Amino acid sequence: HLRAADGSEKQVCYYYGPHISYIDDGEGHSMVPNRVAMTHALLAAYGLLDDMDHLHVSPATKQDLKVAHTEEYLDLLRNLTPTKYKHDATTRASAERHHLGVVTDIRTGCTSHDNPVIDDLWDYCLRYAGGSLTAARALVAGDYKVAINWSGGMHHAGDGKASGFCYVNDVVVAVKALLERFGRVLYVDVDAHHGDGVQDAFAEEARVMTVSFHQYDGKGFFPGTGSVDDVGDAGGAAVYRTLNVPLEAGTGDVRYHKLFEPIMKRVMEVFRPDAVVLQCGADSLAGDRITGLELSVRGHARCIRFLRSYDLPLLLLGGGGYTINHVACCWCYETAVAIGKEIPDEIPKHGYDRYYQTQGYKLHYYHEAHSSSSNVLTKKMGKVKQTVMDHLDKLSA
Ligand code: TV1
Ligand code: CA
Ligand code: ZN
């Protein structure tokens, strides 16, 4: 890769393609277009693009995705268009069996538009998965300390189904690529939702540990899985290599890190990974449109800072994030953290300026906590921490 003028080698590589950020079903879908483009523009405005090598990425191929998905599902995705979905009953039935299109849950009668059949769906999948795969391969080649794909992190997709805005699981594809060189890979998921698709894919794989922090209410909060007792199959080869840290809505920085740091420190001790994948879903930020966690940008980025401090090959992926100005600030700041550069709070003038007006053009936007106790460790959380630590003791034994 390129050498900077001062002879220093760049430690961070980054993937961006202009066509990857979009999903638009014309009905105001949550996986709002532009988040990744806005992040990219902000990186440019702060001058951070020059501090990274840019990965030239060709889209993934169907072959690349076979490690994570069934042939049947991939063929469906490859041939699906909004027109076919609309006019061909067989195609529609097949799509709905794989949770694509408008799906009604028979049990609840609840109609979901989570995984719409959009234009260029297959192309979109190949591109974001290609980004994560290429980023993983850059780490495998040993060229960089950190590799970034903010358009990846689609952690819900199953081997034969779409779920929660995720069509193909680029995380699974990337982790499998890392396993070709690294003995043990740790997956950490700070998206506000449970990383169920990744957890399921590696349920039987002792070389991969998955840890998800997420909002959880034991009721309807999507996807509904990820209780603290969910540690993988008892007696299975990978038991306790699944960890879940359920959090109450309203959890802020202080409370979050009273769990995150001690738990991750212990994970590092007992699992001793050779590489780390961090899904940086930004819907755990305060003020998100669809979730209730209350991290600040600094609080969210502290997860990266903490894991970065172990100096292992680190793959940073995106994920959720539905208040787009917050998402862009978060991922821009986190890119700076990965590079190891301080950037000013004042957002520089650039093409997407107006999106940041409501936050006074500050990267570290102010958000008033909803719950006065957002920073007090509750009894319930203390119990979650203790339970997780006990699980980890079993792994070390
Ligand atoms: C179309 C238009 C779809 C507006 C979906 C919020 C929308 C949601 C929409 C929405 C929305 C969910 C469920 C419903 C299960 C379904 C990328 C039957 C305002 C990683 C996925 C959340 C999170 C899915 C993805 C969830 C990620 N919440 N507006 N849909 N029931 N789906 O609850 O982890 O961030 O919200
Ligand atoms: Ca999570
Ligand atoms: Zn999410």
Side-chain angles (χ1 to χ4, degrees):
H1 53 274
L2 300 174
R3 247 164 223 282
D6 61 4
S8 67
E9 289 206 4
K10 294 181 185 168
Q11 303 204 325
V12 181
C13 64
Y14 167 80
Y15 164 64
Y16 174 71
H19 25 251
I20 36 126
S21 57
Y22 117 106
I23 275 196
D24 190 2
D25 69 343
E27 293 173 52
H29 192 275
S30 295
M31 198 50 128
V32 261
N34 279 335
R35 306 175 312 149
V36 181
M38 279 174 66
T39 304
H40 186 76
L42 204 51
L43 291 172
Y46 272 110
L48 293 171
L49 292 177
D50 299 334
D51 298 318
M52 302 182 283
D53 281 345
H54 296 242
L55 295 171
H56 296 284
V57 174
S58 35
T61 62
K62 183 182 152 191
Q63 193 65 29
D64 293 329
L65 300 184
K66 272 190 189 168
V67 299
H69 298 284
T70 64
E71 180 110 35
E72 187 204 354
Y73 179 55
L74 293 174
D75 283 333
L76 171 72
L77 277 177
R78 191 158 55 102
N79 295 312
L80 204 55
T81 64
T83 317
K84 268 194 207 158
Y85 175 77
K86 223 171 169 177
H87 299 296
D88 179 46
T90 317
T91 305
R92 187 162 58 248
S94 171
E96 287 172 8
R97 268 200 310 282
H98 298 83
H99 299 198
L100 289 152
V102 180
V103 177
T104 305
D105 186 317
I106 343 161
R107 226 165 25 84
T108 59
C110 168
T111 302
S112 168
H113 294 72
D114 280 353
N115 318 304
V117 178
I118 52 171
D119 282 327
D120 305 317
L121 178 55
W122 182 239
D123 189 59
Y124 165 68
C125 291
L126 295 182
R127 285 178 194 278
Y128 77 74
S132 298
L133 182 57
T134 309
R137 284 182 180 150
L139 295 177
V140 165
D143 292 339
Y144 302 94
K145 297 216 152 153
V146 185
I148 300 177
N149 174 22
W150 295 129
S151 66
M154 299 303 149
H155 58 175
H156 297 305
D159 62 352
K161 69 172 192 345
S163 173
F165 321 148
C166 305
Y167 300 91
V168 297
N169 201 316
D170 61 294
V171 184
V172 173
V173 175
V175 168
K176 291 208 171 167
L178 291 172
L179 286 173
E180 285 171 25
R181 158 146 181 219
F182 303 107
R184 282 182 302 276
V185 176
L186 171 66
Y187 173 68
V188 186
D189 185 314
V190 301
D191 187 288
H193 298 95
H194 177 221
D196 55 352
V198 183
Q199 174 177 309
D200 293 349
F202 297 111
E204 306 293 325
E205 176 54 83
R207 293 170 61 203
V208 177
M209 179 156 181
T210 66
V211 186
S212 176
F213 293 77
H214 46 265
Q215 186 175 335
Y216 183 82
D217 59 10
K219 301 192 293 264
F221 190 77
F222 187 88
T225 47
S227 80
V228 72
D229 301 316
D230 184 359
V231 290
D233 275 343
V239 66
Y240 301 119
R241 285 171 180 85
T242 292
L243 276 192
N244 284 293
V245 188
L247 303 163
E248 294 161 69
T251 301
D253 291 350
V254 175
R255 265 213 276 172
Y256 193 97
H257 284 286
K258 275 186 180 156
L259 295 195
F260 186 89
E261 288 179 11
I263 289 172
M264 291 320 303
K265 181 167 179 279
R266 187 77 179 125
V267 166
M268 289 298 193
E269 282 166 16
V270 301
F271 184 65
R272 289 173 292 108
D274 303 298
V276 180
V277 178
L278 179 54
Q279 196 270 20
C280 304
D283 49 5
S284 38
L285 290 172
D288 188 80
R289 276 172 52 218
I290 74 172
T291 74
L293 298 183
E294 297 194 358
L295 291 180
S296 70
V297 168
R298 280 194 191 86
H300 196 276
R302 205 158 128 187
C303 301
I304 290 159
R305 227 183 260 285
F306 187 80
L307 293 171
R308 177 87 170 84
S309 71
Y310 288 86
D311 207 27
L312 294 166
L314 177 63
L315 176 59
L316 299 180
L317 303 173
Y322 307 98
T323 303
I324 54 178
N325 45 317
H326 295 172
V327 177
C329 289
C330 182
W331 290 345
C332 175
Y333 183 67
E334 291 178 338
T335 306
V337 168
I339 293 167
K341 203 170 175 175
E342 288 295 325
I343 53 173
D345 196 16
E346 188 74 27
I347 292 175
K349 294 224 174 327
H350 69 297
Y352 283 98
D353 258 352
R354 61 200 149 87
Y355 285 88
Y356 306 96
Q357 192 196 350
T358 53
Q359 58 191 80
Y361 304 100
K362 297 280 190 257
L363 200 61
H364 299 287
Y365 64 90
Y366 173 74
H367 192 273
E368 198 164 6
H370 277 300
S371 61
S372 53
S373 64
S374 76
N375 288 325
V376 183
L377 191 68
T378 60
K379 234 185 180 160
K380 204 161 155 190
M381 278 187 94
K383 237 183 129 187
V384 166
K385 178 178 167 188
Q386 195 49 54
T387 308
V388 173
M389 291 308 225
D390 289 348
H391 294 330
L392 281 163
D393 284 345
K394 302 229 177 62
L395 193 58
S396 74

